[in-house]
Amino acid sequence: MPIDITMPRLSDTMEQGTIIKWNVKEGDEVAAGDAVADIETDKATMEMQVFDDGRIARILVGEGETVEIGTLIAVMAEENEDVETIASSAATAPAAATTSPAEHAVDVPSEPPVRVSPPGDGRIRTSPVARRLAEEHGIDLGTLQGSGPSGRIVKNDVLRAVEARRETAAAVPPSAQPAVPAPISRDVGRAVEATPVALTGPAPVEAPPQLEPGLVPLSNMRQTIARRLVESKTSIPHYQVTVTFDMDRLMDLRGTLNDQLADQGVKLSVNDFLVRACALAIHQHPEFNASWGGDHLEIHGDVNVGIAIALPRERGGGLVVATIRDADRKSLRAISRESKHLSQKARDRGLTVEEMADATFTISNLGMFGVEHFTAIINPPNSAILAVGAALRKPVVRGGELAVGYEMSATLSLDHRIIDGATAARYLGTLKQLIENPATLLV
C-alpha cells in the first residue's frame, strides 16, 4: 500500500508549514528516521522525518509553498511496489488514509490533498502563494516556467521573475528613458527651450537610484516573532536600568584562558562569562527567575539562560532564543561549547522546539556588531532581559587617575509587576561584582 506523507504538526501552536527544502527527489530510497525535508513552522525551521522504509514516488508540494497541517505533500511506495504506478495514482486521484499517523509520517488530512493537474489540460499549474504574489507584482503566470512537480509554478518562480524585472529596469540606459517635456512658460502659455546654465562649481553628485517599492512576504516564523513582540510590549509594563562594567580583569582572564586552552579548540567569548555570571547572580535574586501568574509569582527551580541568535536573511531573518539549561551548574567551557553548537545549528538547520523552550532569563548581545548601548523587549514569560553592548577600549578613570581600559554597558529591561527598581539595582550590583572579579566565575 502507498504511504501518504502529510504536513506534520511540529510544534504545539503550528497551524501551517512552509517547505523550505526537499532533501530527497522523486525515486529516491529512504529509510525510517531519514530527514526528507526542512519545514518552517511558526517557531523554527525543523527537519521532517519519515517512519518507514520505501521510495519517494511523488512530491506534491514544492519548495517555498505553505500548506495547512494534514495536507498531503508527498507519497511513498513501499518495498516491492511499482513507483510509477504509485506516482500516477497520486497525481490523478485523492489519496485515502492508508496508515495511522502514529505508524507513518503525520496526521490524516482533514481536507482534500493538493492536486497536480495532468499534462496537456491547458491549465496553469500554480500554488496559491505563487498566484497571490504574481497578482501583487503584476506578473503574467503564463510567461513563467514552473520548477515544482510537473512544472507547477511555486513562490520562488514568481520571486525570481520579480527580481529579473527589477534588474532589467535598472539596466535601461538614460537615453532610453522617456523624454522629459520642455518647461512651459507661464507668461505666454507655450513651450520654450531651457537655457543651459554654465557650471562654475564642481560637478553635481549623482543621486543614488530610487529604491524599488514592493511587498516582501513574511515567513511564518517572522509573523510569530512580530505577534510575540507586540504581545510582550503591550501586556508587560517595561522599564530599563543601565549599568557600566569595568571589563579589564575579565578581558585579561579571557585572554589567558584562551591561550591556555587553544590546543583543545576552546575559545571563550565575553558572552560565555555573561551567561554564567547572570545565572549565578539569580541565586541571590530569585525574582529574576520568575514568571507573572496573575495573583502569584512562579519562581522556577532551574536556571535556564536564553541567548538571542540572529538568523541570516536567507533563513528569513529575525531571531530565535536558544536555551542554555542549568547554566548555573555548568562551567565556562561547557557553556561555550553549547552556545557555539546552538548558534551554528540555528543558522544552518534550525533549532528544535526543545532547544528553544523553558528559558527563565534572556541575554541579547549586540557587542559583536560594535553596538555600545541598546534596550531589548522581554521574552515572555521571563521577568527580565539583559541587553549587552560591546566591551570597548576607551579613556577611563582608574584609582583616581586617567587611563585606558575596557568598559561595557548593559541594560536590563524589566517587568515592573515582578521587579521594582531597587531589586533591579541590587541584581546589577551582584552582577557587577561577579563580572569585575571574574575569577569567582571559575569556581
Side-chain angles (χ1 to χ4, degrees):
M1 295 289 290
I3 302 171
D4 293 344
I5 302 177
T6 58
M7 177 60 71
R9 183 186 295 275
L10 297 174
S11 74
D12 54 348
T13 58
M14 178 181 172
E15 297 180 356
Q16 59 184 12
T18 301
I19 298 178
I20 299 300
K21 179 184 177 183
W22 280 106
N23 300 319
V24 294
K25 57 182 181 295
E26 292 179 356
D28 283 357
E29 291 186 0
V30 294
D34 285 352
V36 297
D38 295 339
I39 305 293
E40 182 189 70
T41 72
D42 58 337
K43 293 184 176 179
T45 298
M46 304 173 66
E47 295 178 341
M48 182 185 75
Q49 298 180 350
V50 292
F51 300 94
D52 295 271
D53 297 339
R55 189 185 296 269
I56 301 296
R58 192 84 175 184
I59 294 176
L60 299 174
V61 179
E63 294 179 353
E65 295 188 57
T66 301
V67 295
E68 300 295 324
I69 292 173
T71 300
L72 187 67
I73 60 177
V75 176
M76 284 176 55
E78 292 185 311
E79 295 182 7
N80 303 320
E81 286 187 321
D82 183 68
V83 172
E84 294 184 1
T85 301
I86 299 298
S88 177
S89 63
T92 58
T98 58
T99 55
S100 68
E103 293 175 324
H104 295 298
V106 286
D107 301 329
V108 176
S110 56
E111 300 179 0
V114 176
R115 297 285 298 277
V116 178
S117 302
D121 61 358
R123 297 171 57 192
I124 297 177
R125 305 168 183 84
T126 179
S127 70
V129 175
R131 186 181 302 110
R132 185 171 65 251
L133 281 174
E135 292 174 355
E136 291 173 354
H137 293 279
I139 299 296
D140 183 0
L141 290 172
T143 64
L144 302 184
Q145 180 67 40
S147 61
S150 299
R152 196 166 190 236
I153 297 172
V154 297
K155 180 176 73 173
N156 287 340
D157 299 324
V158 179
L159 293 178
R160 281 193 292 268
V162 173
E163 184 63 26
R165 187 170 64 179
R166 291 176 180 171
E167 292 176 356
T168 301
V172 176
S175 60
Q177 300 291 342
V180 179
I184 304 299
S185 171
R186 295 184 179 180
D187 296 332
V188 298
R190 60 183 178 85
V192 297
E193 294 183 359
T195 303
V197 178
L199 297 177
T200 57
V205 178
E206 183 178 354
Q210 184 179 7
L211 292 176
E212 286 288 342
L215 301 177
V216 179
L218 295 179
S219 64
N220 294 336
M221 185 192 308
R222 192 78 193 191
Q223 294 178 54
T224 300
I225 291 172
R227 287 195 298 269
R228 286 176 59 83
L229 289 175
V230 171
E231 175 189 352
S232 174
K233 197 64 175 177
T234 56
S235 64
I236 297 176
H238 283 61
Y239 75 102
Q240 286 77 32
V241 180
T242 300
V243 71
T244 298
F245 300 125
D246 174 356
M247 298 293 287
D248 287 349
R249 292 181 182 176
L250 191 148
M251 298 300 285
D252 288 343
L253 177 61
R254 173 175 174 258
T256 300
L257 292 175
N258 283 341
D259 288 342
Q260 295 174 348
L261 299 172
D263 58 345
Q264 301 178 37
V266 176
K267 186 175 182 180
L268 302 174
S269 69
V270 171
N271 207 65
D272 298 331
F273 286 87
L274 288 172
V275 169
R276 179 156 171 78
C278 288
L280 292 178
I282 282 174
H283 278 269
Q284 299 182 44
H285 309 277
E287 299 92 342
F288 285 79
N289 212 51
S291 298
W292 178 254
D295 59 353
H296 66 277
L297 297 184
E298 181 181 357
I299 306 295
H300 304 290
D302 297 327
V303 180
N304 302 329
V305 177
I307 53 173
I309 301 171
L311 300 179
R313 293 184 63 182
E314 55 268 24
R315 293 192 63 83
L319 75 159
V320 294
V321 176
T323 304
I324 308 293
R325 297 179 180 273
D326 300 318
D328 55 327
R329 305 177 190 176
K330 291 180 177 176
S331 66
L332 285 169
R333 184 185 304 196
I335 292 172
S336 177
R337 181 173 59 250
E338 191 169 343
S339 296
K340 287 181 174 62
H341 167 73
L342 291 172
S343 297
Q344 193 63 44
K345 186 180 178 188
R347 298 184 178 103
D348 292 345
R349 294 179 290 135
L351 300 175
T352 66
V353 174
E354 178 71 14
E355 290 168 330
M356 296 185 293
D358 303 327
T360 57
F361 181 92
T362 305
I363 297 174
S364 181
N365 191 337
L366 293 179
M368 67 287 295
F369 299 106
V371 173
E372 294 187 41
H373 172 266
F374 72 106
T375 61
I377 297 176
I378 295 171
N379 179 36
N382 294 178
S383 61
I385 183 172
L386 185 71
V388 182
L392 298 177
R393 193 169 174 84
K394 59 177 65 175
V396 296
V397 176
R398 298 285 189 261
E401 296 183 357
L402 187 64
V404 176
Y406 285 98
E407 286 192 342
M408 183 180 72
S409 176
T411 299
L412 272 173
S413 292
L414 304 133
D415 185 340
H416 216 323
R417 299 171 301 179
I418 302 175
I419 302 170
D420 58 27
T423 303
R426 285 192 288 268
Y427 176 82
L428 286 176
T430 301
L431 192 59
K432 185 178 178 71
Q433 181 70 18
L434 290 169
I435 288 174
E436 295 184 353
N437 298 277
T440 56
L441 302 177
L442 302 180
V443 295

